[in-house]
Short mmCIF file of all heavy atoms in Angstrom, two decimals:
data_model
loop_
_atom_site.label_atom_id
_atom_site.label_comp_id
_atom_site.label_asym_id
_atom_site.label_seq_id
_atom_site.Cartn_x
_atom_site.Cartn_y
_atom_site.Cartn_z
N TYR A 1 28.29 15.03 -16.94
CA TYR A 1 28.39 15.87 -18.15
C TYR A 1 29.80 16.33 -18.39
O TYR A 1 30.04 17.18 -19.25
CB TYR A 1 27.38 16.99 -18.06
CG TYR A 1 25.98 16.39 -17.90
CD1 TYR A 1 25.22 16.71 -16.79
CD2 TYR A 1 25.49 15.50 -18.82
CE1 TYR A 1 23.95 16.13 -16.63
CE2 TYR A 1 24.25 14.90 -18.68
CZ TYR A 1 23.48 15.23 -17.59
OH TYR A 1 22.26 14.65 -17.42
N LYS A 2 30.76 15.75 -17.69
CA LYS A 2 32.17 15.90 -18.05
C LYS A 2 32.55 14.82 -19.06
O LYS A 2 33.52 14.99 -19.79
CB LYS A 2 33.07 15.79 -16.80
CG LYS A 2 32.69 16.68 -15.66
CD LYS A 2 33.05 18.08 -15.95
CE LYS A 2 32.84 18.95 -14.72
NZ LYS A 2 32.10 20.14 -14.93
N ILE A 3 31.76 13.73 -19.05
CA ILE A 3 32.07 12.60 -19.95
C ILE A 3 31.03 12.40 -21.05
O ILE A 3 31.26 11.63 -21.97
CB ILE A 3 32.25 11.31 -19.13
CG1 ILE A 3 31.02 10.99 -18.29
CG2 ILE A 3 33.48 11.39 -18.28
CD1 ILE A 3 31.12 9.71 -17.47
N SER A 4 29.91 13.08 -20.98
CA SER A 4 28.91 13.01 -22.04
C SER A 4 28.02 14.26 -22.00
O SER A 4 28.04 14.99 -21.04
CB SER A 4 28.04 11.74 -21.91
OG SER A 4 27.20 11.84 -20.79
N GLU A 5 27.21 14.42 -23.02
CA GLU A 5 26.28 15.54 -23.12
C GLU A 5 24.94 15.18 -22.46
O GLU A 5 24.56 14.03 -22.45
CB GLU A 5 26.02 15.92 -24.56
CG GLU A 5 27.27 16.38 -25.33
CD GLU A 5 27.75 17.73 -24.89
OE1 GLU A 5 26.91 18.64 -24.71
OE2 GLU A 5 28.96 17.90 -24.72
N PRO A 6 24.21 16.18 -21.92
CA PRO A 6 22.88 15.89 -21.43
C PRO A 6 21.98 15.35 -22.54
O PRO A 6 22.11 15.75 -23.71
CB PRO A 6 22.37 17.25 -20.95
CG PRO A 6 23.59 18.05 -20.71
CD PRO A 6 24.59 17.58 -21.73
N LYS A 7 21.08 14.46 -22.17
CA LYS A 7 20.13 13.90 -23.11
C LYS A 7 18.72 14.28 -22.70
O LYS A 7 18.47 14.51 -21.53
CB LYS A 7 20.27 12.36 -23.12
CG LYS A 7 21.61 11.90 -23.68
CD LYS A 7 21.76 10.40 -23.55
CE LYS A 7 23.11 9.91 -24.02
NZ LYS A 7 24.27 10.64 -23.56
N ARG A 8 17.82 14.32 -23.69
CA ARG A 8 16.44 14.63 -23.40
C ARG A 8 15.90 13.60 -22.41
O ARG A 8 16.10 12.41 -22.56
CB ARG A 8 15.61 14.57 -24.68
CG ARG A 8 14.20 15.08 -24.51
CD ARG A 8 13.37 15.12 -25.78
NE ARG A 8 14.07 15.10 -27.04
CZ ARG A 8 14.62 16.17 -27.63
NH1 ARG A 8 14.58 17.36 -27.03
NH2 ARG A 8 15.24 16.05 -28.78
N GLY A 9 15.26 14.08 -21.37
CA GLY A 9 14.71 13.20 -20.33
C GLY A 9 15.59 13.08 -19.10
O GLY A 9 15.11 12.65 -18.05
N ASP A 10 16.85 13.49 -19.17
CA ASP A 10 17.72 13.46 -18.00
C ASP A 10 17.15 14.37 -16.92
O ASP A 10 16.68 15.48 -17.21
CB ASP A 10 19.14 13.93 -18.34
CG ASP A 10 19.98 12.92 -19.12
OD1 ASP A 10 19.47 11.82 -19.37
OD2 ASP A 10 21.12 13.26 -19.47
N VAL A 11 17.22 13.96 -15.69
CA VAL A 11 16.86 14.80 -14.53
C VAL A 11 18.16 15.37 -14.00
O VAL A 11 19.09 14.61 -13.62
CB VAL A 11 16.10 13.98 -13.50
CG1 VAL A 11 15.81 14.84 -12.26
CG2 VAL A 11 14.78 13.45 -14.09
N ILE A 12 18.25 16.70 -13.98
CA ILE A 12 19.53 17.36 -13.63
C ILE A 12 19.37 18.30 -12.44
O ILE A 12 18.27 18.82 -12.18
CB ILE A 12 20.09 18.13 -14.85
CG1 ILE A 12 19.11 19.23 -15.29
CG2 ILE A 12 20.41 17.17 -15.99
CD1 ILE A 12 19.69 20.20 -16.28
N VAL A 13 20.46 18.57 -11.78
CA VAL A 13 20.57 19.60 -10.79
C VAL A 13 21.41 20.71 -11.39
O VAL A 13 22.47 20.42 -11.99
CB VAL A 13 21.21 19.08 -9.48
CG1 VAL A 13 21.40 20.20 -8.47
CG2 VAL A 13 20.38 17.96 -8.88
N PHE A 14 20.96 21.95 -11.28
CA PHE A 14 21.68 23.07 -11.94
C PHE A 14 21.50 24.34 -11.14
O PHE A 14 20.62 24.47 -10.28
CB PHE A 14 21.14 23.26 -13.37
CG PHE A 14 19.67 23.63 -13.43
CD1 PHE A 14 19.25 24.92 -13.50
CD2 PHE A 14 18.72 22.62 -13.41
CE1 PHE A 14 17.90 25.24 -13.55
CE2 PHE A 14 17.37 22.90 -13.46
CZ PHE A 14 16.96 24.24 -13.52
N ASP A 15 22.37 25.31 -11.45
CA ASP A 15 22.21 26.66 -10.90
C ASP A 15 21.14 27.38 -11.68
O ASP A 15 21.25 27.50 -12.90
CB ASP A 15 23.53 27.44 -11.03
CG ASP A 15 24.59 26.96 -10.07
OD1 ASP A 15 24.25 26.55 -8.96
OD2 ASP A 15 25.79 26.99 -10.45
N PRO A 16 20.11 27.85 -11.01
CA PRO A 16 19.01 28.55 -11.72
C PRO A 16 19.50 29.95 -12.21
O PRO A 16 20.52 30.44 -11.72
CB PRO A 16 17.92 28.68 -10.68
CG PRO A 16 18.64 28.67 -9.38
CD PRO A 16 19.84 27.78 -9.56
N PRO A 17 18.75 30.55 -13.11
CA PRO A 17 19.10 31.88 -13.58
C PRO A 17 19.16 32.87 -12.40
O PRO A 17 18.45 32.72 -11.42
CB PRO A 17 17.96 32.25 -14.51
CG PRO A 17 17.36 30.96 -14.92
CD PRO A 17 17.55 30.01 -13.77
N ALA A 18 19.98 33.90 -12.56
CA ALA A 18 20.19 34.90 -11.49
C ALA A 18 18.87 35.56 -11.07
O ALA A 18 18.69 35.86 -9.89
CB ALA A 18 21.16 35.97 -11.96
N GLU A 19 17.91 35.72 -11.98
CA GLU A 19 16.67 36.39 -11.67
C GLU A 19 15.85 35.65 -10.59
O GLU A 19 15.02 36.23 -9.93
CB GLU A 19 15.78 36.57 -12.93
CG GLU A 19 15.21 35.28 -13.47
CD GLU A 19 14.49 35.43 -14.78
OE1 GLU A 19 15.18 35.59 -15.81
OE2 GLU A 19 13.25 35.40 -14.78
N ILE A 20 16.09 34.35 -10.45
CA ILE A 20 15.32 33.57 -9.44
C ILE A 20 16.22 32.78 -8.52
O ILE A 20 15.76 31.93 -7.80
CB ILE A 20 14.35 32.60 -10.13
CG1 ILE A 20 15.08 31.77 -11.18
CG2 ILE A 20 13.17 33.30 -10.73
CD1 ILE A 20 14.54 30.40 -11.28
N ASP A 21 17.50 33.07 -8.51
CA ASP A 21 18.46 32.29 -7.70
C ASP A 21 18.06 32.38 -6.24
O ASP A 21 17.97 33.47 -5.67
CB ASP A 21 19.88 32.83 -7.90
CG ASP A 21 20.91 31.88 -7.33
OD1 ASP A 21 20.56 30.91 -6.65
OD2 ASP A 21 22.10 32.12 -7.60
N GLU A 22 17.81 31.25 -5.66
CA GLU A 22 17.43 31.15 -4.22
C GLU A 22 18.56 30.58 -3.38
O GLU A 22 18.34 30.18 -2.26
CB GLU A 22 16.17 30.31 -4.10
CG GLU A 22 14.98 30.91 -4.86
CD GLU A 22 13.75 30.01 -4.91
OE1 GLU A 22 13.83 28.86 -4.41
OE2 GLU A 22 12.74 30.44 -5.43
N GLY A 23 19.78 30.51 -3.96
CA GLY A 23 20.90 30.00 -3.23
C GLY A 23 20.99 28.50 -3.16
O GLY A 23 21.85 27.95 -2.47
N VAL A 24 20.09 27.80 -3.88
CA VAL A 24 20.13 26.34 -3.92
C VAL A 24 19.97 25.88 -5.36
O VAL A 24 19.40 26.60 -6.21
CB VAL A 24 18.99 25.69 -3.08
CG1 VAL A 24 19.19 26.00 -1.61
CG2 VAL A 24 17.61 26.11 -3.54
N GLY A 25 20.46 24.69 -5.67
CA GLY A 25 20.31 24.14 -6.99
C GLY A 25 18.86 23.77 -7.27
O GLY A 25 18.12 23.41 -6.35
N PHE A 26 18.48 23.86 -8.52
CA PHE A 26 17.15 23.41 -8.96
C PHE A 26 17.27 22.02 -9.56
O PHE A 26 18.36 21.66 -10.06
CB PHE A 26 16.61 24.35 -10.03
CG PHE A 26 15.88 25.55 -9.54
CD1 PHE A 26 16.21 26.15 -8.31
CD2 PHE A 26 14.86 26.13 -10.26
CE1 PHE A 26 15.52 27.26 -7.85
CE2 PHE A 26 14.18 27.23 -9.84
CZ PHE A 26 14.50 27.81 -8.59
N ILE A 27 16.19 21.24 -9.53
CA ILE A 27 16.19 19.95 -10.17
C ILE A 27 15.01 19.92 -11.16
O ILE A 27 13.86 20.21 -10.78
CB ILE A 27 16.11 18.80 -9.13
CG1 ILE A 27 16.28 17.45 -9.83
CG2 ILE A 27 14.87 18.87 -8.29
CD1 ILE A 27 16.66 16.30 -8.86
N LYS A 28 15.31 19.67 -12.42
CA LYS A 28 14.32 19.65 -13.48
C LYS A 28 14.73 18.59 -14.52
O LYS A 28 15.80 18.01 -14.45
CB LYS A 28 14.21 21.00 -14.19
CG LYS A 28 13.96 22.20 -13.31
CD LYS A 28 12.58 22.24 -12.72
CE LYS A 28 12.42 23.49 -11.84
NZ LYS A 28 11.40 23.35 -10.83
N ARG A 29 13.87 18.44 -15.53
CA ARG A 29 14.12 17.46 -16.60
C ARG A 29 14.55 18.22 -17.85
O ARG A 29 13.96 19.22 -18.23
CB ARG A 29 12.83 16.66 -16.85
CG ARG A 29 13.04 15.50 -17.78
CD ARG A 29 11.73 14.69 -17.91
NE ARG A 29 11.27 14.10 -16.68
CZ ARG A 29 11.65 12.94 -16.21
NH1 ARG A 29 12.56 12.22 -16.84
NH2 ARG A 29 11.13 12.48 -15.08
N VAL A 30 15.59 17.71 -18.52
CA VAL A 30 16.02 18.27 -19.81
C VAL A 30 14.99 17.94 -20.86
O VAL A 30 14.66 16.77 -21.07
CB VAL A 30 17.41 17.71 -20.23
CG1 VAL A 30 17.78 18.21 -21.62
CG2 VAL A 30 18.47 18.07 -19.19
N ILE A 31 14.47 18.96 -21.53
CA ILE A 31 13.43 18.78 -22.56
C ILE A 31 13.99 19.19 -23.93
O ILE A 31 13.88 18.46 -24.88
CB ILE A 31 12.18 19.62 -22.24
CG1 ILE A 31 11.55 19.15 -20.91
CG2 ILE A 31 11.17 19.54 -23.36
CD1 ILE A 31 11.05 17.71 -20.87
N GLY A 32 14.61 20.36 -24.01
CA GLY A 32 15.13 20.86 -25.28
C GLY A 32 16.62 20.84 -25.31
O GLY A 32 17.31 21.29 -24.39
N LEU A 33 17.15 20.27 -26.39
CA LEU A 33 18.59 20.17 -26.61
C LEU A 33 19.03 21.28 -27.57
O LEU A 33 18.20 21.86 -28.29
CB LEU A 33 18.94 18.80 -27.17
CG LEU A 33 18.51 17.60 -26.33
CD1 LEU A 33 18.78 16.31 -27.10
CD2 LEU A 33 19.25 17.60 -25.00
N PRO A 34 20.34 21.55 -27.65
CA PRO A 34 20.81 22.59 -28.57
C PRO A 34 20.28 22.36 -30.00
O PRO A 34 20.35 21.25 -30.53
CB PRO A 34 22.34 22.44 -28.52
CG PRO A 34 22.59 21.88 -27.15
CD PRO A 34 21.43 20.95 -26.90
N GLY A 35 19.72 23.41 -30.60
CA GLY A 35 19.20 23.33 -31.97
C GLY A 35 17.72 22.96 -32.03
O GLY A 35 17.09 23.13 -33.09
N ASP A 36 17.13 22.42 -30.95
CA ASP A 36 15.71 22.05 -30.97
C ASP A 36 14.83 23.30 -30.95
O ASP A 36 15.16 24.31 -30.33
CB ASP A 36 15.34 21.27 -29.70
CG ASP A 36 15.78 19.81 -29.73
OD1 ASP A 36 16.15 19.30 -30.81
OD2 ASP A 36 15.78 19.19 -28.65
N THR A 37 13.68 23.18 -31.62
CA THR A 37 12.65 24.19 -31.48
C THR A 37 11.61 23.63 -30.52
O THR A 37 11.08 22.52 -30.73
CB THR A 37 11.99 24.52 -32.83
OG1 THR A 37 13.00 25.06 -33.70
CG2 THR A 37 10.89 25.51 -32.69
N VAL A 38 11.36 24.38 -29.44
CA VAL A 38 10.45 23.93 -28.38
C VAL A 38 9.21 24.83 -28.36
O VAL A 38 9.31 26.03 -28.43
CB VAL A 38 11.14 24.01 -26.99
CG1 VAL A 38 10.19 23.57 -25.88
CG2 VAL A 38 12.42 23.18 -26.96
N GLU A 39 8.06 24.17 -28.23
CA GLU A 39 6.80 24.90 -28.15
C GLU A 39 5.87 24.14 -27.21
O GLU A 39 5.83 22.91 -27.24
CB GLU A 39 6.14 25.04 -29.52
CG GLU A 39 4.88 25.87 -29.51
CD GLU A 39 4.33 26.15 -30.90
OE1 GLU A 39 4.73 25.47 -31.86
OE2 GLU A 39 3.48 27.04 -31.02
N ILE A 40 5.14 24.87 -26.38
CA ILE A 40 4.11 24.28 -25.52
C ILE A 40 2.76 24.82 -25.99
O ILE A 40 2.57 26.05 -25.98
CB ILE A 40 4.34 24.60 -24.03
CG1 ILE A 40 5.70 24.14 -23.60
CG2 ILE A 40 3.25 23.96 -23.17
CD1 ILE A 40 6.12 24.59 -22.17
N LYS A 41 1.91 23.92 -26.42
CA LYS A 41 0.56 24.33 -26.86
C LYS A 41 -0.36 23.08 -26.78
O LYS A 41 0.12 21.95 -26.79
CB LYS A 41 0.58 24.89 -28.28
CG LYS A 41 0.96 23.85 -29.35
CD LYS A 41 0.93 24.46 -30.73
CE LYS A 41 1.30 23.39 -31.76
NZ LYS A 41 1.28 23.88 -33.10
N ASP A 42 -1.63 23.35 -26.68
CA ASP A 42 -2.62 22.25 -26.66
C ASP A 42 -2.28 21.18 -25.62
O ASP A 42 -2.42 19.99 -25.86
CB ASP A 42 -2.77 21.60 -28.05
CG ASP A 42 -3.10 22.62 -29.13
OD1 ASP A 42 -3.86 23.55 -28.83
OD2 ASP A 42 -2.61 22.44 -30.26
N GLN A 43 -1.77 21.62 -24.45
CA GLN A 43 -1.42 20.77 -23.34
C GLN A 43 -0.33 19.74 -23.66
O GLN A 43 -0.24 18.68 -23.04
CB GLN A 43 -2.64 20.05 -22.77
CG GLN A 43 -3.66 21.02 -22.21
CD GLN A 43 -4.78 20.30 -21.47
OE1 GLN A 43 -5.28 19.26 -21.91
NE2 GLN A 43 -5.13 20.84 -20.32
N ALA A 44 0.56 20.08 -24.60
CA ALA A 44 1.65 19.17 -24.96
C ALA A 44 2.91 20.00 -25.25
O ALA A 44 2.83 21.15 -25.60
CB ALA A 44 1.30 18.32 -26.18
N VAL A 45 4.04 19.34 -25.12
CA VAL A 45 5.33 19.94 -25.51
C VAL A 45 5.66 19.39 -26.88
O VAL A 45 5.61 18.19 -27.15
CB VAL A 45 6.44 19.58 -24.49
CG1 VAL A 45 7.76 20.09 -24.98
CG2 VAL A 45 6.13 20.18 -23.14
N TYR A 46 6.03 20.31 -27.76
CA TYR A 46 6.45 19.94 -29.12
C TYR A 46 7.92 20.20 -29.29
O TYR A 46 8.39 21.30 -28.97
CB TYR A 46 5.61 20.72 -30.17
CG TYR A 46 4.17 20.29 -30.19
CD1 TYR A 46 3.26 20.82 -29.30
CD2 TYR A 46 3.72 19.37 -31.12
CE1 TYR A 46 1.94 20.43 -29.30
CE2 TYR A 46 2.40 18.96 -31.14
CZ TYR A 46 1.52 19.52 -30.23
OH TYR A 46 0.19 19.10 -30.25
N ILE A 47 8.62 19.23 -29.79
CA ILE A 47 10.06 19.37 -30.12
C ILE A 47 10.16 19.24 -31.63
O ILE A 47 9.78 18.21 -32.21
CB ILE A 47 10.91 18.29 -29.44
CG1 ILE A 47 10.72 18.31 -27.92
CG2 ILE A 47 12.35 18.41 -29.85
CD1 ILE A 47 11.23 19.56 -27.23
N ASN A 48 10.60 20.31 -32.25
CA ASN A 48 10.74 20.33 -33.72
C ASN A 48 9.42 19.95 -34.41
O ASN A 48 9.41 19.19 -35.39
CB ASN A 48 11.90 19.44 -34.19
CG ASN A 48 13.20 19.86 -33.54
OD1 ASN A 48 13.48 21.05 -33.37
ND2 ASN A 48 13.99 18.88 -33.10
#
């Protein structure tokens, strides 16, 4: 991400928010990109 922006579906390692920081990086999948509206309902994720 020094040479490109994260894309939806990328699996990333990141520093979690301070409220849950356990001293280790978290690994998750990028779902929402800047400007996206994200909603979870009816057992699905909706983007825009």
Side-chain angles (χ1 to χ4, degrees):
Y1 303 120
K2 305 289 188 228
I3 56 179
S4 70
E5 297 289 317
K7 294 174 183 46
R8 189 178 339 280
D10 286 357
V11 176
I12 62 169
V13 176
F14 61 94
D15 287 326
E19 70 186 75
I20 51 146
D21 193 351
E22 299 172 357
V24 296
F26 274 30
I27 187 163
K28 307 288 180 204
R29 190 176 298 274
V30 174
I31 299 297
L33 302 173
D36 284 345
T37 298
V38 179
E39 184 173 15
I40 303 172
K41 65 179 181 180
D42 304 325
Q43 296 190 319
V45 173
Y46 291 83
I47 303 294
N48 302 320

